[in-house]
Amino acid sequence: MKGKKAVFYISLAFSLFLISLGVFIPKQVEKFSTTSLSFIYNNLGWFILGSVFVFFAFCMYVGLSKFGHIRLGEDSDRPEYKTATWVGMLFSASIGISLVFWGVAEPVSYYIDPPFGKGSSEESAKLAMQFVYLHWGVSAWACYALVGVSLAFFQYRKKLPASLSSVFYPLVGDKIRGKFGKTIDIIVILSIVIGIATSLGFGTLQVNSGVNVLWGLPVNFSVQIFIVLAVTLIYVGSTVSGLQGAMKHLSNLNMLLAFALLGLILFLGPTQSIFKIFFQGVGDYAQNFIGMSFRTEPYNDGSWIASWTLFYFGWWIAWAPLVGSFVARISKGRTIKEFMMGAVFIPVVGSFFWFAVMGGSAIHLIQIDGATELANAVSTDVTSALFKFFEYFPMSAFLSILAMVLVLVFFITSANSAVFVLGMISENGNPNPKTRTKIIWGAVIAGISIVLIVTGGLQGLQSALVAAAVPLSVMMLVMCYSTYKGLNNELILMKSSEREGKEHVIDLEAQQTRKEA
């Protein structure tokens, strides 16, 4: 595993191998990953739940403790992006496309089939928002923030390569530049490639459903492949143009479109109910956070927890290397306290309000207005749920078009950030990877997305990605200790520098006094 390009070539070979498996033996891949996933849920679900809570506790500790004032960079550095743009990029690069996909479908699914109790009832409506907030709340963003703050600290403060292996420097020293570091980087690259490919596959299916509802275009492989190829050309082009340009403008566009869609549904929908749902959901979530975070259902089969909570927590862990690496890239100059408060809590409030507007309105339509057809649509096909939901509002065609544009822009920015991060890691932490490298990874992601769609292997590799959450959890737990050790050493250095500075000032004053005498 020698050479500067070893990480790139080995991870590329593994990615192409995955494409080959998806082409030639898709059923076996799906069966293996599903079996692995079932084993993990039955035997290691408690470990995933416990790990995510540790990540959240660690983020709060470093943000609010003595480490909080340490700046991610030199003491003279200041944030590269304005806070509004920074938050927009956080959303765009991480869960934006998933919010659009699940905004209506997930709350309605929980309303129909709650974790416990009777479905389609007042109690299940409350539980629906409560568990949606658990799955999209601080637990998810703590996974991203842990990787982000660790990498940003070692990259900008300690001047190590922009690679996840750098985080382990306090434990292994210069081995991060050898086989150990390269192995870590290859694992991270593979998790990013599979994760972004499966998400783009879901995005493609939703866009295909949208154009089917609006213009009658068929839901088939040809349309889906065309969507993937068209979007690939756009996101590769925007990535090549550079982070400062394309990503900044696309992220700002994302936020404007999202606010426009939210504002319209808030105005046209049950406005008072939406605000009540939002505050009720936040209160229920805060009150039951500990219990829900550790809920394993040991006295029954635990199928609901396995299908939803464990799946989501595993999904966030698997996405953490990608989102955390990108968040680190855009967070230079912020203090750790500012980073944690912004990266953990601000996006959570936005996510909660999104689900209150979309999912809350959908539940209101079903429970109060009797829109049982919407519930049936969610049960039948989650990819079309959003567009069926818009049919209950004025200007439904305009809302559907706006939502599709939002999905596409989120689609582009998610892939954009993934290609950029893949380029950085595969070039040994180069913060400005070569155009050729980014184009190759863009093509690989498109190829895997197409293979997954055509072979029907989306669910299989999605399961494989969540199965990867177990080794990634172990790596992130070690990362907590390594980051703590690095921050502690940094405080010692800072205090030592302060003492030396004070002693130097005292010496100068003494010299001046002697001269005057």
Side-chain angles (χ1 to χ4, degrees):
M1 204 181 288
K2 296 180 180 179
K4 291 184 178 180
K5 295 185 177 181
V7 171
F8 173 71
Y9 287 124
I10 294 173
S11 54
L12 181 61
F14 272 113
S15 299
L16 295 175
F17 177 68
L18 287 173
I19 294 177
S20 301
L21 290 178
V23 170
F24 298 111
I25 53 169
K27 291 184 179 179
Q28 289 87 335
V29 170
E30 184 172 356
K31 182 179 179 181
F32 173 77
S33 59
T34 303
T35 302
S36 301
L37 191 64
S38 177
F39 174 82
I40 289 168
Y41 284 160
N42 292 331
N43 298 280
L44 294 171
W46 60 269
F47 176 72
I48 293 177
L49 294 179
S51 297
V52 170
F53 190 83
V54 169
F55 302 153
F56 171 69
F58 178 80
C59 288
M60 293 301 96
Y61 172 70
V62 298
L64 299 174
S65 69
K66 57 187 178 182
F67 303 125
H69 70 279
I70 297 176
R71 197 168 290 278
L72 301 174
E74 301 291 344
D75 289 334
S76 58
D77 288 338
R78 291 299 178 267
E80 186 177 1
Y81 299 97
K82 293 180 180 179
T83 301
T85 300
W86 181 61
V87 172
M89 294 171 83
L90 290 179
F91 267 108
S92 302
S94 53
I95 66 171
I97 192 170
S98 301
L99 279 176
V100 180
F101 188 92
W102 289 108
V104 170
E106 187 173 344
V108 173
S109 296
Y110 298 173
Y111 170 72
I112 298 169
D113 180 25
F116 52 86
K118 182 182 178 182
S120 302
S121 64
E122 180 181 348
E123 183 63 25
S124 71
K126 292 179 182 178
L127 286 173
M129 300 310 299
Q130 183 176 316
F131 275 86
V132 164
Y133 286 0
L134 171 69
H135 298 157
W136 296 79
V138 295
S139 302
W141 287 95
C143 296
Y144 302 157
L146 165 62
V147 176
V149 78
S150 301
L151 184 55
F153 170 73
F154 287 103
Q155 179 183 348
Y156 297 126
R157 187 82 182 185
K158 309 308 292 181
K159 310 303 180 186
L160 292 173
S163 177
L164 216 62
S165 55
S166 297
V167 174
F168 300 95
Y169 186 83
L171 302 180
V172 300
D174 287 333
K175 289 182 180 179
I176 63 168
R177 296 180 175 89
K179 290 183 179 180
F180 175 85
K182 288 180 170 61
T183 301
I184 294 292
D185 291 339
I186 289 169
I187 292 171
V188 168
I189 286 175
L190 292 176
S191 72
I192 291 172
V193 168
I194 298 173
I196 195 66
T198 50
S199 291
L200 295 187
F202 280 120
T204 299
L205 297 178
Q206 188 170 41
V207 171
N208 196 177
S209 293
V211 295
N212 173 259
V213 170
L214 287 171
W215 300 300
L217 289 177
V219 177
N220 59 31
F221 296 147
S222 299
V223 175
Q224 291 159 6
I225 291 172
F226 174 79
I227 293 170
V228 171
L229 293 177
V231 173
T232 300
L233 289 174
I234 298 172
Y235 75 68
V236 169
S238 62
T239 305
V240 169
S241 72
L243 191 70
Q244 281 281 3
M247 275 301 293
K248 178 179 178 180
H249 297 309
L250 282 173
S251 297
N252 288 335
L253 176 61
N254 262 339
M255 297 307 291
L256 287 174
L257 291 174
F259 280 129
L261 185 59
L262 271 184
L264 285 170
I265 299 298
L266 184 63
F267 176 73
L268 297 172
T271 308
Q272 294 299 322
S273 292
I274 289 171
F275 282 108
K276 290 178 182 178
I277 290 167
F278 173 69
F279 282 98
Q280 175 79 43
V282 170
D284 290 340
Y285 168 68
Q287 183 179 1
N288 298 283
F289 174 69
I290 300 294
M292 291 191 297
S293 296
F294 289 102
R295 189 167 182 267
T296 57
E297 293 187 342
Y299 306 112
N300 58 41
D301 63 358
S303 58
W304 196 97
I305 295 295
S307 300
W308 290 107
T309 303
L310 288 176
F311 172 80
Y312 266 118
F313 280 16
W315 186 253
W316 302 138
I317 292 170
W319 263 76
L322 164 60
V323 181
S325 297
F326 183 77
V327 171
R329 174 64 181 81
I330 63 175
S331 299
K332 181 180 180 181
R334 298 184 182 275
T335 64
I336 290 179
K337 181 178 181 180
E338 181 185 6
F339 176 92
M340 286 303 177
M341 295 304 102
V344 174
F345 291 106
I346 294 177
V348 165
V349 174
S351 300
F352 284 3
F353 194 65
W354 179 275
F355 278 107
V357 173
M358 297 297 176
S361 296
I363 291 175
H364 180 91
L365 285 170
I366 296 168
Q367 187 181 34
I368 305 301
D369 298 338
T372 54
E373 298 86 354
L374 179 57
N376 294 333
V378 171
S379 301
T380 304
D381 180 16
V382 293
T383 64
S384 64
L386 183 64
F387 305 105
K388 296 293 184 183
F389 168 68
F390 289 146
E391 291 179 1
Y392 291 89
F393 292 85
M395 304 186 298
S396 59
F398 174 75
L399 292 172
S400 296
I401 293 171
L402 182 59
M404 273 201 301
V405 173
L406 184 60
V407 169
L408 287 170
V409 178
F410 273 133
F411 199 146
I412 293 164
T413 49
S414 295
N416 198 318
S417 60
V419 169
F420 197 90
V421 169
L422 288 169
M424 285 197 305
I425 299 174
S426 58
E427 291 188 5
N428 302 305
N430 179 10
N432 296 296
K434 296 177 182 177
T435 299
R436 173 177 168 271
T437 304
K438 292 186 285 188
I439 291 174
I440 290 173
W441 282 121
V444 168
I445 290 172
I448 293 180
S449 298
I450 291 172
V451 167
L452 293 178
I453 291 170
V454 172
T455 60
L458 265 174
Q459 186 175 358
L461 270 181
Q462 182 187 19
S463 300
L465 180 65
V466 178
V470 173
L472 284 174
S473 294
V474 175
M475 186 180 77
M476 289 168 66
L477 287 170
V478 177
M479 188 185 299
C480 290
Y481 175 66
S482 183
T483 303
Y484 171 80
K485 193 172 181 180
L487 291 171
N488 210 40
N489 291 338
E490 184 66 17
L491 276 185
I492 294 172
L493 287 174
M494 290 170 69
K495 290 178 181 178
S496 176
S497 297
E498 287 177 9
R499 281 196 301 268
E500 290 175 1
K502 289 178 180 178
E503 289 172 0
H504 180 64
V505 170
I506 292 171
D507 288 341
L508 290 176
E509 289 176 349
Q511 290 175 17
Q512 184 66 27
T513 301
R514 285 195 295 268
K515 286 180 181 179
E516 291 174 355

